[in-house]
Amino acid sequence: MHAQAFKVGMRAPDDVSEGARLIDRGAFRAEHVVAILGKTEGNGGVNDYTRALATLSFQLLLAERTGQKVAAIAKRVPIIWSGGTEGLMSPHATIFTREPDRGAPGGAKRLAVGTAYTRDLLPEEFGTAVHARVAADGVRAAIEDAGIDATADLHFVQIKTGALTTERVNEARRRGKAVVTTDTYKSMAYGRAAAAVGIGVASGEVDGAKLEGDVIGHEFSVFSEIASTSSGVELMNCEVIVLGNSRRSTSELVMAHAVMKDAIDAGGIREALRRAGLAVDAELAAADRERLINVFVKCEPDLSGATRGRRHVMFEDSDVNATRHIRGAVNAVVASVTGDTMCYVSAGAEHQGPPSGGVVAVLARAGR
Amino acid sequence: MHAQAFKVGMRAPDDVSEGARLIDRGAFRAEHVVAILGKTEGNGGVNDYTRALATLSFQLLLAERTGQKVAAIAKRVPIIWSGGTEGLMSPHATIFTREPDRGAPGGAKRLAVGTAYTRDLLPEEFGTAVHARVAADGVRAAIEDAGIDATADLHFVQIKTGALTTERVNEARRRGKAVVTTDTYKSMAYGRAAAAVGIGVASGEVDGAKLEGDVIGHEFSVFSEIASTSSGVELMNCEVIVLGNSRRSTSELVMAHAVMKDAIDAGGIREALRRAGLAVDAELAAADRERLINVFVKCEPDLSGATRGRRHVMFEDSDVNATRHIRGAVNAVVASVTGDTMCYVSAGAEHQGPPSGGVVAVLARAGR
Amino acid sequence: MHAQAFKVGMRAPDDVSEGARLIDRGAFRAEHVVAILGKTEGNGGVNDYTRALATLSFQLLLAERTGQKVAAIAKRVPIIWSGGTEGLMSPHATIFTREPDRGAPGGAKRLAVGTAYTRDLLPEEFGTAVHARVAADGVRAAIEDAGIDATADLHFVQIKTGALTTERVNEARRRGKAVVTTDTYKSMAYGRAAAAVGIGVASGEVDGAKLEGDVIGHEFSVFSEIASTSSGVELMNCEVIVLGNSRRSTSELVMAHAVMKDAIDAGGIREALRRAGLAVDAELAAADRERLINVFVKCEPDLSGATRGRRHVMFEDSDVNATRHIRGAVNAVVASVTGDTMCYVSAGAEHQGPPSGGVVAVLARAGR
Amino acid sequence: MHAQAFKVGMRAPDDVSEGARLIDRGAFRAEHVVAILGKTEGNGGVNDYTRALATLSFQLLLAERTGQKVAAIAKRVPIIWSGGTEGLMSPHATIFTREPDRGAPGGAKRLAVGTAYTRDLLPEEFGTAVHARVAADGVRAAIEDAGIDATADLHFVQIKTGALTTERVNEARRRGKAVVTTDTYKSMAYGRAAAAVGIGVASGEVDGAKLEGDVIGHEFSVFSEIASTSSGVELMNCEVIVLGNSRRSTSELVMAHAVMKDAIDAGGIREALRRAGLAVDAELAAADRERLINVFVKCEPDLSGATRGRRHVMFEDSDVNATRHIRGAVNAVVASVTGDTMCYVSAGAEHQGPPSGGVVAVLARAGR
């Protein structure tokens, strides 16, 4: 496998022009795109339709350039958006390709990408152990698809899953079924939680037997260090993207990850950059800035209501959701280290990294 | 002069309990309080009444403990709030006191505090050169009050000024007078701009002759490196707090300042900390964290719509004001260096530091 | 008892000038004020501090004019605010007085006002049957205070109760106690629900035995037609105001109520106006507009997600809370009938009127 | 011409299923669709991408069913959305068709529909007299297209125009050109204003000579009673839909209009319904509810800051834009008369109806 990745800025959720230009000048072929992961500029909440617009726009681009139907693209290429580019965060997509090998593998572990789709969940399954098991099966399929041999080589597993809407809740009720929550905004958290636990089960970080208890959405000492999940009303299944390294890959790119202990843990970011082979002093060395493709981060407000003992007001704010606050804060911390505000920071880190902290993964051009 | 400063957390805008406890245990006397500067947890906009509530609450505390009337406190002690503690920012106040000297000055320059009040502005004067001149006169009075000899010893000049409301606009119109803007939210920006230019005139950074042109709110290459201004509907004059150093002060504290070139310029923060005598590597040295009292920062979104070339969406967001976005981002950058989310970050940096950047001042316990 | 009521507009949450002027010109005496019920211009959510500011401001006014301490006023005069004046709604207070009788009762039933305070609730009691029972006891005390003989003469019972904050939740957890919800915004709904069921128990509309099941916040077919409850972080007990009619009252005012079946049921509003003796065609007759003092309404979005079969998006909106949407809508419906946007419309009608509808009470000058 | 109109509900901005079903069962043919006008559930602001998503979704539907390219549909069928379904408002589209005549005209004036597109405006032309003139030319072309003979037969003229973005502002600046405002949200108001004045010029309500002065966005005594304009970043030209009556039409539908004097003027709504031939007492007669297709309304907060003398807080609210507040309020007033929350209420009524009021047009099945 020869995997590539291209970070493209977006002037609006339907702006696919940078990707189109890359195809035009031969940087990659539309047929080789296997996954897209990005940030759109909506509110990141239930009614954030920037995700749907961006998905449709990239599907139309790939359909046009490959001659395939949109419906076929939708079944083959997971396109996952996390809504919400608060603060300085710059809307963008990372386009992943898988292409024929260019020569033989060089011996070093290099970027490998795999994907999978699961079945749709019923409203009453949503946010439950069933949801987690379905997610875990999807992750295993994507790991196999990526050709990654050891779970230690997994560095970032992204799942996009659904959310409950008033209509889905009512539909379940009509059938006499209970749902985990009737609060549509909160259902997004349950979706992220179930998918994250599923990733942990597939990666071996979480004991599958744990699923029987009341873990999902409650027991946050159970977590995966490589899980990143987001949710949105536009789907009801799990779409999975696995990013890791493999000796069989001939990619020029490499993945690494570390953990942020809390929202201002710039040290965790520096550690992830170093693990990817980049030189970092207080900030990413100027000479290595070109080598950085993207940073992928999950985060959440400190659940205690205080960060390092200092009160925050995110949970008391009835105007702006806590997820919006924390994304803007953590993006700024990342950018103050890398110099680049165009990175992927997604909130709602239930079971994704330690409580009140999160996952930080780095995708970079490998050193020689 | 022996100046002290106490940073007190607030559980709500009317929570003055930390200050009360400090008085109770003799850390300072209510009679010696000369100024209070803090952050409240409102939206920072036109209808942010957390500022008024916090002001009234502290006035009632000081009135109770001094036996003075609230009205007398209101004329003697500027209490200035910047609304908006987005992201991780922790609501708090810094209480400044001026007390009888404790021994003779030691030769080193130490914290000096001065204050002043100006007359009320008319709606039609608001945001104009008249406003700037009134502000400049206030700053000169406060510098004299502080006993600061050289403008080079000024490190942070805070002005709180007013804002136009629909009623004030209509009142001016009834008298046939024009106002700088009828947009109440935008009037806050004009207020900040006029006050900041006034500070620059008083500090010598800005040529007073500049006031005649269309500088205020437009020509942002004209700025002060030590100006910090905020605005709110609750007043229509300028309340001034001057912070600097003086050889005549016997304070144990010291001020310093630097400039942030943009919102992710952690280097500017490190520089200000070092100028205050603190040890900083990538982050503030653990041993010196106790010495830091507070960091005071002004910031604004990059006016070009992009930070270091990467698009931001703050000006396109019709749900959350740009000032809310940028405060949360910059607070996180500061906290990632100092380890403390309880710092003063205020947005709307018109003429306060370089365009798209801002002022960063540090108040710390002096080294031995 | 001679009860009066004065509706005063507010230019800001701390604007008590209209009330002060009424006292100045002898319309009523500060000593006779027994309750204040109003609308402030905050977001109506967890962090709506306009309520606290308005309370403190009216307490200071009454303290100043009576020579009593603020603390004494706070124990004697319930001052209850519903936050949120969305749409056209005009911020205001209705000030209720009880004064010495002026002559003998005339035989007709006229306005009677009673009040009560309950004990503080523990976080773990909040939103439970204990909460409802405490509320019911408070309502019974207030009915007795009002001198209302029959529950049929009750027309509007207002309770203000508390809300959980992150700190209160954590405090309970430290003691090993569970709370009904850890979502601070949702706790406001539980508080309103428990208080409303308590009103129904006291008025005889709800069977006290129902409290043992899972009724509160869930079984909305259980409701009171005269209950109005609101919640806010600024307290943890119940403050009760009872409004009804009594033959022993010499007031010139009269109360009446009806029910709105849904948010656009203008017919319910017309019915309540007519029951208060006012002439109504499509709109309140011009000749009777002077007689209307205020309309008090509780409302909520249709829980099915649709109003008369047409989808609404209030529950899907992650930017603006559903309570904000519905208040603005229902205020406009009331005002289109009465011609007056200054009325009391409060959202969160759990157990207050029929599901998706609410209580509508009218206070008017009695006809001759 | 045989014109039809179908109001279809939408479960999301990309839900075109109701329209698809109508085509499937032969209610109309995709080839005959000439215009679509609707409400989407975004914030109605600069970053409301629900409009773009809905447009693309309906274009894809029409392309699929006609076999035409999306680009061809985009040049032939104006699809205009007003964003923002606050309060009870139900997201929907009204689909207009023009079909071959079915028999000869019956003598009565019936619905006629015409459309037009103008050229793109430059950023520096946006919101100016040039913009108004371009709009007026477009309206004249659409009137001719509709076959409407007299301006008295015009009842609703809808224009969708663009908005300035930070990028468009910067692009103009690079060419040394000034723009009417650099505030992207405010630019939407200028766009609406220029287009509305253009409609007035074309309808003869506004003297074209007025354009030379500072009328647009300032002198609101200049207005059209039939203008409805909205703006959004997704375009930079004017798309025009003209609705009126013509003796040459064989449609079964009829248009009428009246004016709302202010936001609670239910009388204006009743008048428009009656002019369309519907029976109205306090509310639309039950027997005639089936005949009502849709109500189209423009509205705005009273510019004085008060509605019938009562203060509103819409202009002081820094969390929720005034346009959001007023749409929810006026929709509720309309629905309280018609019983149907699914109607078109659009805010920003600059020059569209009298100041602080707006246009109200009714589309109904003609009586026999």
Side-chain angles (χ1 to χ4, degrees), chain D residues 192-214:
Chain D
R192 291 189 298 262
V197 171
I199 293 171
V201 168
S203 72
E205 296 168 287
V206 173
D207 179 357
K210 288 254 180 184
L211 289 181
E212 297 321 309
D214 191 26

PDB file of all heavy atoms in Angstrom, chain D residues 192-214:
ATOM      1  N   ARG D 192     -30.385  43.470   1.443  1.00  0.00           N
ATOM      2  CA  ARG D 192     -31.853  43.459   1.453  1.00  0.00           C
ATOM      3  C   ARG D 192     -32.418  44.838   1.112  1.00  0.00           C
ATOM      4  O   ARG D 192     -33.387  44.959   0.365  1.00  0.00           O
ATOM      5  CB  ARG D 192     -32.362  43.045   2.837  1.00  0.00           C
ATOM      6  CG  ARG D 192     -32.089  41.599   3.201  1.00  0.00           C
ATOM      7  CD  ARG D 192     -32.814  41.205   4.480  1.00  0.00           C
ATOM      8  NE  ARG D 192     -32.396  41.979   5.644  1.00  0.00           N
ATOM      9  CZ  ARG D 192     -31.501  41.570   6.543  1.00  0.00           C
ATOM     10  NH1 ARG D 192     -30.934  40.383   6.432  1.00  0.00           N
ATOM     11  NH2 ARG D 192     -31.181  42.337   7.564  1.00  0.00           N
ATOM     12  N   ALA D 193     -31.792  45.870   1.664  1.00  0.00           N
ATOM     13  CA  ALA D 193     -32.285  47.230   1.462  1.00  0.00           C
ATOM     14  C   ALA D 193     -32.203  47.630  -0.011  1.00  0.00           C
ATOM     15  O   ALA D 193     -33.163  48.155  -0.590  1.00  0.00           O
ATOM     16  CB  ALA D 193     -31.493  48.204   2.330  1.00  0.00           C
ATOM     17  N   ALA D 194     -31.059  47.382  -0.620  1.00  0.00           N
ATOM     18  CA  ALA D 194     -30.875  47.782  -2.024  1.00  0.00           C
ATOM     19  C   ALA D 194     -31.863  47.048  -2.919  1.00  0.00           C
ATOM     20  O   ALA D 194     -32.487  47.639  -3.810  1.00  0.00           O
ATOM     21  CB  ALA D 194     -29.435  47.501  -2.467  1.00  0.00           C
ATOM     22  N   ALA D 195     -32.047  45.773  -2.678  1.00  0.00           N
ATOM     23  CA  ALA D 195     -32.958  44.989  -3.508  1.00  0.00           C
ATOM     24  C   ALA D 195     -34.398  45.462  -3.317  1.00  0.00           C
ATOM     25  O   ALA D 195     -35.177  45.534  -4.281  1.00  0.00           O
ATOM     26  CB  ALA D 195     -32.820  43.499  -3.173  1.00  0.00           C
ATOM     27  N   ALA D 196     -34.761  45.809  -2.086  1.00  0.00           N
ATOM     28  CA  ALA D 196     -36.135  46.247  -1.810  1.00  0.00           C
ATOM     29  C   ALA D 196     -36.430  47.575  -2.497  1.00  0.00           C
ATOM     30  O   ALA D 196     -37.495  47.771  -3.080  1.00  0.00           O
ATOM     31  CB  ALA D 196     -36.360  46.355  -0.305  1.00  0.00           C
ATOM     32  N   VAL D 197     -35.481  48.487  -2.430  1.00  0.00           N
ATOM     33  CA  VAL D 197     -35.675  49.765  -3.112  1.00  0.00           C
ATOM     34  C   VAL D 197     -35.792  49.519  -4.613  1.00  0.00           C
ATOM     35  O   VAL D 197     -36.620  50.136  -5.297  1.00  0.00           O
ATOM     36  CB  VAL D 197     -34.532  50.744  -2.766  1.00  0.00           C
ATOM     37  CG1 VAL D 197     -34.613  51.988  -3.629  1.00  0.00           C
ATOM     38  CG2 VAL D 197     -34.591  51.110  -1.280  1.00  0.00           C
ATOM     39  N   GLY D 198     -35.018  48.582  -5.112  1.00  0.00           N
ATOM     40  CA  GLY D 198     -35.112  48.223  -6.528  1.00  0.00           C
ATOM     41  C   GLY D 198     -36.500  47.726  -6.895  1.00  0.00           C
ATOM     42  O   GLY D 198     -37.051  48.083  -7.948  1.00  0.00           O
ATOM     43  N   ILE D 199     -37.085  46.914  -6.050  1.00  0.00           N
ATOM     44  CA  ILE D 199     -38.445  46.435  -6.293  1.00  0.00           C
ATOM     45  C   ILE D 199     -39.414  47.617  -6.337  1.00  0.00           C
ATOM     46  O   ILE D 199     -40.266  47.720  -7.235  1.00  0.00           O
ATOM     47  CB  ILE D 199     -38.880  45.428  -5.199  1.00  0.00           C
ATOM     48  CG1 ILE D 199     -38.056  44.149  -5.310  1.00  0.00           C
ATOM     49  CG2 ILE D 199     -40.385  45.115  -5.315  1.00  0.00           C
ATOM     50  CD1 ILE D 199     -38.240  43.172  -4.139  1.00  0.00           C
ATOM     51  N   GLY D 200     -39.248  48.527  -5.378  1.00  0.00           N
ATOM     52  CA  GLY D 200     -40.130  49.700  -5.326  1.00  0.00           C
ATOM     53  C   GLY D 200     -40.016  50.546  -6.578  1.00  0.00           C
ATOM     54  O   GLY D 200     -41.021  51.076  -7.085  1.00  0.00           O
ATOM     55  N   VAL D 201     -38.807  50.668  -7.107  1.00  0.00           N
ATOM     56  CA  VAL D 201     -38.613  51.439  -8.337  1.00  0.00           C
ATOM     57  C   VAL D 201     -39.345  50.753  -9.497  1.00  0.00           C
ATOM     58  O   VAL D 201     -40.047  51.386 -10.284  1.00  0.00           O
ATOM     59  CB  VAL D 201     -37.109  51.605  -8.636  1.00  0.00           C
ATOM     60  CG1 VAL D 201     -36.882  52.143 -10.038  1.00  0.00           C
ATOM     61  CG2 VAL D 201     -36.457  52.518  -7.586  1.00  0.00           C
ATOM     62  N   ALA D 202     -39.200  49.428  -9.570  1.00  0.00           N
ATOM     63  CA  ALA D 202     -39.829  48.694 -10.670  1.00  0.00           C
ATOM     64  C   ALA D 202     -41.352  48.706 -10.565  1.00  0.00           C
ATOM     65  O   ALA D 202     -42.059  48.724 -11.577  1.00  0.00           O
ATOM     66  CB  ALA D 202     -39.318  47.252 -10.690  1.00  0.00           C
ATOM     67  N   SER D 203     -41.874  48.703  -9.342  1.00  0.00           N
ATOM     68  CA  SER D 203     -43.336  48.668  -9.158  1.00  0.00           C
ATOM     69  C   SER D 203     -43.950  50.059  -9.220  1.00  0.00           C
ATOM     70  O   SER D 203     -45.177  50.204  -9.193  1.00  0.00           O
ATOM     71  CB  SER D 203     -43.675  48.050  -7.802  1.00  0.00           C
ATOM     72  OG  SER D 203     -43.334  48.955  -6.753  1.00  0.00           O
ATOM     73  N   GLY D 204     -43.100  51.082  -9.276  1.00  0.00           N
ATOM     74  CA  GLY D 204     -43.604  52.444  -9.303  1.00  0.00           C
ATOM     75  C   GLY D 204     -43.880  53.025  -7.920  1.00  0.00           C
ATOM     76  O   GLY D 204     -44.270  54.183  -7.797  1.00  0.00           O
ATOM     77  N   GLU D 205     -43.651  52.259  -6.885  1.00  0.00           N
ATOM     78  CA  GLU D 205     -43.885  52.791  -5.535  1.00  0.00           C
ATOM     79  C   GLU D 205     -42.804  53.773  -5.112  1.00  0.00           C
ATOM     80  O   GLU D 205     -43.035  54.623  -4.262  1.00  0.00           O
ATOM     81  CB  GLU D 205     -43.949  51.636  -4.514  1.00  0.00           C
ATOM     82  CG  GLU D 205     -45.094  50.667  -4.718  1.00  0.00           C
ATOM     83  CD  GLU D 205     -44.904  49.409  -3.869  1.00  0.00           C
ATOM     84  OE1 GLU D 205     -44.026  48.583  -4.220  1.00  0.00           O
ATOM     85  OE2 GLU D 205     -45.624  49.253  -2.871  1.00  0.00           O
ATOM     86  N   VAL D 206     -41.608  53.611  -5.665  1.00  0.00           N
ATOM     87  CA  VAL D 206     -40.481  54.465  -5.294  1.00  0.00           C
ATOM     88  C   VAL D 206     -39.998  55.210  -6.530  1.00  0.00           C
ATOM     89  O   VAL D 206     -39.846  54.613  -7.602  1.00  0.00           O
ATOM     90  CB  VAL D 206     -39.325  53.617  -4.692  1.00  0.00           C
ATOM     91  CG1 VAL D 206     -38.088  54.473  -4.455  1.00  0.00           C
ATOM     92  CG2 VAL D 206     -39.770  52.934  -3.414  1.00  0.00           C
ATOM     93  N   ASP D 207     -39.757  56.494  -6.350  1.00  0.00           N
ATOM     94  CA  ASP D 207     -39.262  57.330  -7.437  1.00  0.00           C
ATOM     95  C   ASP D 207     -37.790  57.004  -7.689  1.00  0.00           C
ATOM     96  O   ASP D 207     -36.966  57.100  -6.773  1.00  0.00           O
ATOM     97  CB  ASP D 207     -39.425  58.801  -7.012  1.00  0.00           C
ATOM     98  CG  ASP D 207     -38.909  59.770  -8.080  1.00  0.00           C
ATOM     99  OD1 ASP D 207     -38.377  59.314  -9.119  1.00  0.00           O
ATOM    100  OD2 ASP D 207     -39.051  60.979  -7.853  1.00  0.00           O
ATOM    101  N   GLY D 208     -37.458  56.616  -8.903  1.00  0.00           N
ATOM    102  CA  GLY D 208     -36.090  56.214  -9.224  1.00  0.00           C
ATOM    103  C   GLY D 208     -35.071  57.306  -8.925  1.00  0.00           C
ATOM    104  O   GLY D 208     -33.901  57.022  -8.650  1.00  0.00           O
ATOM    105  N   ALA D 209     -35.511  58.540  -8.928  1.00  0.00           N
ATOM    106  CA  ALA D 209     -34.586  59.647  -8.667  1.00  0.00           C
ATOM    107  C   ALA D 209     -34.082  59.620  -7.227  1.00  0.00           C
ATOM    108  O   ALA D 209     -33.010  60.137  -6.920  1.00  0.00           O
ATOM    109  CB  ALA D 209     -35.286  60.978  -8.947  1.00  0.00           C
ATOM    110  N   LYS D 210     -34.850  58.973  -6.377  1.00  0.00           N
ATOM    111  CA  LYS D 210     -34.467  58.879  -4.955  1.00  0.00           C
ATOM    112  C   LYS D 210     -33.144  58.141  -4.764  1.00  0.00           C
ATOM    113  O   LYS D 210     -32.479  58.284  -3.739  1.00  0.00           O
ATOM    114  CB  LYS D 210     -35.550  58.095  -4.184  1.00  0.00           C
ATOM    115  CG  LYS D 210     -36.840  58.852  -3.997  1.00  0.00           C
ATOM    116  CD  LYS D 210     -36.962  59.322  -2.551  1.00  0.00           C
ATOM    117  CE  LYS D 210     -38.268  60.085  -2.378  1.00  0.00           C
ATOM    118  NZ  LYS D 210     -38.397  60.642  -1.039  1.00  0.00           N
ATOM    119  N   LEU D 211     -32.808  57.301  -5.735  1.00  0.00           N
ATOM    120  CA  LEU D 211     -31.630  56.452  -5.570  1.00  0.00           C
ATOM    121  C   LEU D 211     -30.349  57.246  -5.405  1.00  0.00           C
ATOM    122  O   LEU D 211     -29.366  56.741  -4.861  1.00  0.00           O
ATOM    123  CB  LEU D 211     -31.486  55.514  -6.781  1.00  0.00           C
ATOM    124  CG  LEU D 211     -32.522  54.403  -6.848  1.00  0.00           C
ATOM    125  CD1 LEU D 211     -32.278  53.537  -8.068  1.00  0.00           C
ATOM    126  CD2 LEU D 211     -32.445  53.561  -5.586  1.00  0.00           C
ATOM    127  N   GLU D 212     -30.371  58.487  -5.903  1.00  0.00           N
ATOM    128  CA  GLU D 212     -29.116  59.240  -5.872  1.00  0.00           C
ATOM    129  C   GLU D 212     -28.714  59.627  -4.448  1.00  0.00           C
ATOM    130  O   GLU D 212     -27.551  59.756  -4.140  1.00  0.00           O
ATOM    131  CB  GLU D 212     -29.220  60.480  -6.771  1.00  0.00           C
ATOM    132  CG  GLU D 212     -29.436  60.120  -8.229  1.00  0.00           C
ATOM    133  CD  GLU D 212     -28.628  58.895  -8.668  1.00  0.00           C
ATOM    134  OE1 GLU D 212     -27.409  58.859  -8.422  1.00  0.00           O
ATOM    135  OE2 GLU D 212     -29.229  57.952  -9.235  1.00  0.00           O
ATOM    136  N   GLY D 213     -29.666  59.835  -3.579  1.00  0.00           N
ATOM    137  CA  GLY D 213     -29.338  60.258  -2.210  1.00  0.00           C
ATOM    138  C   GLY D 213     -28.913  59.089  -1.335  1.00  0.00           C
ATOM    139  O   GLY D 213     -28.583  58.015  -1.822  1.00  0.00           O
ATOM    140  N   ASP D 214     -28.971  59.315  -0.060  1.00  0.00           N
ATOM    141  CA  ASP D 214     -28.506  58.329   0.913  1.00  0.00           C
ATOM    142  C   ASP D 214     -29.715  57.541   1.450  1.00  0.00           C
ATOM    143  O   ASP D 214     -29.922  57.422   2.648  1.00  0.00           O
ATOM    144  CB  ASP D 214     -27.775  59.059   2.046  1.00  0.00           C
ATOM    145  CG  ASP D 214     -27.031  58.083   2.954  1.00  0.00           C
ATOM    146  OD1 ASP D 214     -26.665  56.990   2.478  1.00  0.00           O
ATOM    147  OD2 ASP D 214     -26.839  58.425   4.128  1.00  0.00           O
TER     148      ASP D 214
END
